[in-house]
Structures are given as C-alpha cells and as structure tokens.
Amino acid sequence: MIRILDRLGRPLLRLIDAEAAHALTIKAMRWAPTLPARADDRRLQVAAMGLRFPNPVGMAAGFDKNARVPDALLALGFGFVEIGTVTPRPQSGNLPPRLFRMSRDRAVINRLGFNNDGVARVRERLTARASAAGIIGVNVGANKDAPDRAGDYATAIAALAEPASYFTVNVSSPNTPGLRDLQHKAALDDLLARVIDARDRAAATAGRKPILLKIAPDLALAELDDIVAVARARRIDGMIISNTTVSRPGALQDLIPAREPGGLSGRPLFALSTRMLAETFVRVERAFPLIGVGGIDSGTSALAKVRAGALLIQLYTGLIYCGLRVLDEIKRALVRELEVEGAGALADLVGRDASARTAERW
Ligand SMILES: Cc1cc2nc3c(=O)[nH]c(=O)nc-3n(C[C@H](O)[C@H](O)[C@H](O)COP(=O)(O)O)c2cc1C
C-alpha cells in the first residue's frame, strides 16, 4: 500500500509545502497497512557493532524524528532505521519556513533545529514495539537552551538505553547554534567520556549499546585528525559521515532557496561527504566501521560510498526525489557488484577506493 502511495502520491506531495508534505507522508505511513519486508539476499547481510543487519541500507536520521513509523520503514525494506534527533526535553525548533526543496539540484535545505517530542514520548513509542524485530538506532542531541550540553546527551542515552539498538551522538547539526563546537578536541573528549559512562551505567539492565559519532562534512582535515584520534582513544563503536553541509557547492541551479541558511543535503552533498568518508576511513584504519551518508540516490552512488569506506549506508533526500524504488535499485546494484568482483560479502569491497579518493584534488 505504501509503495502504491509512493508511486502515485509523491508527484502530488511536491506541489505542497515541504514540511506539510513530510507530515502527510508520516501520517500515511502510520495508517497504511504494511506487509513484512521480503527477505533480502543473504549476501547483503552485514555483521557490525555486535548487530546483524539484514541489508546495509538504513533510513537516515531526521525523517522519523519521533519514532512514529520505524516498523513501517523496516517493512519497506530498510536494513535499519535511525530515529531522532531526540533531545531530553521536547522542543519546537526554529520558526517556519525552515525546509526548502531544490528540485533541480535534487537537494534540500533544512534549518529545523531539532524539533522533536523529547525522550519521554519517544521512549513510550519505542517501548511499545520492544518485542518487534529490527535494528532501531537512536540519534541524540542537546536542547537548544541546555546549560550543560554534554549532560543532555548522557540524559538521552540513559533514558533510551533499553529500546535503542545503538546510539548516534549528533554533534554535527548546523541548526543549533554552537552545537558543532562539540567537535573540537577537548569538548569532544569530555562529551564522549560522559556519553560512554552513561551507556556503561545502563548496560547492566539494558545491555551494552554501541555508540556512534555523526560528524559534519565541513571540517578541516586537521580537525578530522583530532576527531578520529579522540574517537579511537575513547573506543567508540563507529562513525557516521556525514550530516548536512553549511557550504553551497558550486554549480547549484536553484539559486533562490540556496540562499536560505541551513544544512544542504542531497546530490550536491555527495562529493564532499564521500571525500570526508574516505578521509575518515584512512585515519580510522578499520578500528571501527563507518556509515556513509550524503547524496545517495542510485546504485552507483551507494556503491561509491562503500568503496570509499562505508560498511553501512543511509539516505534521506534521495528518497524524496526518487521514491522507494531507489532502495531496491541500491540493493540490486550491491548484489551485482559482489558478483562482478567475485566477493563473498560487502565487507570485502569496503574502502577499496579510499586512498584514490583522498589523492584527488579538492
Ligand atoms: C529534513 C531533514 C532533517 C534532518 N534531520 C536530522 C536530524 O534530526 N539529525 C541528524 O543527525 N541528521 C538529520 N538530517 C541529516 C540526514 O540524516 C543526513 O545526514 C543528510 O541529509 C545527508 O543525507 P542525504 O543527502 O541522503 O539526505 C536531516 C536531513 C534532512 C533533509
């Protein structure tokens, strides 16, 4: 049913305001009947961070901020779903308009600002589905007015440790002033220490949940050196590269929305986020796995992420423009590549092009 709506309704959704279209999509997904996903090709299975992913393609954070439709997303064929960003207290985010389509560029600019229902409501929803299968990551952040930002991350993790399959520490949203400063060495070290402490305290009852760090694409390589050094020293479980960019890569066509402040996602983010992924891969030296996200909208772009260093991938904006068929296309392309390369598993292809990518001119 959702697939039929996706095919027929998506062109109509483009005619209304972007945020209204998103709200309508979530509503339709809550009410439309879903059948369980068809079993994936076994070669697409990925074992990482103590979890077994049926396929490597995840729904990126920001689509289902409030854990309204994680099971519908899994039933559509995603290998995992990342909900959030969730903050300890509910907050309404920035004033609308705050979400802008750039259709000719196949991109979106958002400055939502962590609008979300808060950990208590999200915990209720996730607890209600606790017996259901499927990997649900929880992306956590700090409230805009938090006096102690690192404390907010620890609070969110303590509150959601039981239902979460993994946590993503989001220090890369451009829409909460100052949040990206948590990527600086000393602040990041303190943040990760407190986050890991919160995770370890909850482990006795909730189990040890993996902690991932999601970074911005707008970092100098010296900053990335520091981030990876801290992440490795603190022994986190993985990194996600990347969030949206505050830059406006050249040759954009939708120049009026491009002037809006906020984070740019979609096709124009692909080159930058893939370069940062490769740069991260060569620094991490396989100490932990990477999730590649940013501008995936085809089998080819998904494969490029894997070859640049991603064991798992996520997408959001590509779905707005291509619909669910892109999910099937990506899975087919990955299986085809495994066959062509004579590889038994995706892990064999991860990072094959990383060094070449880092050698390219910016
Ligand atoms: C409307 C919108 C809202 C988003 N909200 C979040 C968020 O709450 N937390 C987060 O970590 N990333 C958020 N993102 C970023 C995505 O998770 C992803 O990192 C980024 O969009 C790049 O992927 P894409 O090009 O496939 O969209 C959001 C993206 C969009 C388009």
Side-chain angles (χ1 to χ4, degrees):
M1 182 71 170
I2 293 174
R3 283 184 178 271
I4 296 169
L5 285 174
D6 173 59
R7 213 167 304 141
L8 302 180
R10 213 161 21 83
L12 299 177
L13 283 178
R14 290 219 209 138
L15 302 175
I16 61 174
D17 163 73
E19 204 172 341
H22 175 257
L24 211 60
T25 305
I26 296 278
K27 208 169 266 180
M29 292 183 72
R30 283 179 64 198
W31 298 115
T34 45
L35 297 169
R38 237 182 314 147
D40 287 308
D41 189 306
R42 291 174 64 84
R43 290 168 289 183
L44 289 177
Q45 285 180 8
V46 173
M49 307 179 295
L51 300 168
R52 187 166 284 279
F53 297 76
N55 74 67
V57 193
M59 180 77 227
F63 176 78
D64 189 9
K65 285 180 184 272
N66 295 311
R68 285 289 192 176
V69 291
D71 292 299
L73 288 165
L74 292 171
L76 288 169
F78 286 99
F80 62 112
V81 173
E82 188 166 313
I83 64 127
T85 297
V86 189
T87 57
R89 285 170 291 111
Q91 65 180 27
S92 53
N94 294 321
L95 288 177
R98 52 191 184 173
L99 184 58
F100 307 89
R101 290 188 196 93
M102 296 168 62
S103 300
R104 278 186 290 171
D105 294 309
R106 303 229 156 193
V108 163
I109 287 177
N110 94 79
R111 53 166 179 271
L112 295 170
F114 289 170
N115 52 319
N116 79 104
D117 292 346
V119 293
R121 295 292 298 281
V122 167
R123 184 187 157 90
E124 277 169 27
R125 290 182 193 130
L126 290 180
T127 305
R129 67 159 309 277
S131 59
I135 295 173
I136 310 291
V138 177
N139 181 307
V140 293
N143 279 109
K144 187 178 177 186
D145 58 357
D148 170 20
R149 287 212 158 134
D152 266 25
Y153 289 83
T155 301
I157 287 172
L160 293 166
E162 226 148 299
S165 304
Y166 70 81
F167 285 105
T168 297
V169 175
N170 177 12
V171 287
S172 45
S173 167
N175 301 312
T176 297
L179 192 91
R180 285 183 165 199
D181 293 346
L182 289 171
Q183 295 175 120
H184 297 157
K185 198 173 177 180
L188 182 65
D189 192 49
D190 174 61
L191 173 67
L192 291 184
R194 292 173 70 181
V195 155
I196 287 166
D197 181 57
R199 183 271 306 272
D200 290 347
R201 280 169 192 269
T205 49
R208 181 191 179 281
K209 300 300 164 78
I211 301 278
L212 285 77
L213 179 69
K214 183 169 179 179
I215 62 170
D218 311 311
L219 294 163
L221 293 181
E223 292 175 297
L224 186 62
D225 288 343
D226 287 345
I227 289 171
V228 171
V230 171
R232 290 182 65 168
R234 288 287 170 197
R235 296 176 169 276
I236 65 164
D237 300 277
M239 283 176 65
I240 305 186
I241 302 109
S242 74
N243 214 310
T244 56
T245 177
V246 292
S247 71
R248 296 292 177 262
L252 293 174
Q253 295 181 60
D254 288 303
L255 294 178
I256 293 173
R259 280 191 224 124
E260 294 288 346
L264 175 76
S265 59
R267 199 174 277 177
L269 172 60
F270 179 79
L272 176 63
S273 59
T274 308
R275 174 66 184 254
M276 291 306 283
L277 171 65
E279 296 284 356
T280 307
F281 182 82
V282 297
R283 287 164 173 76
V284 166
E285 297 173 310
R286 298 184 191 267
F288 45 68
L290 306 180
I291 300 184
V293 50
I296 297 175
D297 62 1
S298 63
T300 309
S301 51
L303 252 168
K305 289 281 190 206
V306 172
R307 298 186 77 105
L311 180 57
L312 298 160
I313 56 176
Q314 295 176 322
L315 69 161
Y316 183 169
T317 307
L319 288 161
I320 297 174
Y321 294 106
C322 305
L324 287 165
R325 67 173 171 77
V326 73
L327 182 55
D328 303 324
E329 184 198 323
I330 290 169
K331 290 190 206 173
R332 273 198 307 273
L334 294 177
V335 171
R336 209 178 318 121
E337 184 75 355
L338 287 174
E339 282 168 359
V340 169
E341 293 282 350
L346 218 55
D348 300 338
L349 305 179
V350 171
R352 280 197 183 178
D353 296 346
S355 300
R357 271 206 184 258
T358 58
E360 285 168 7
R361 285 167 60 92
W362 277 97

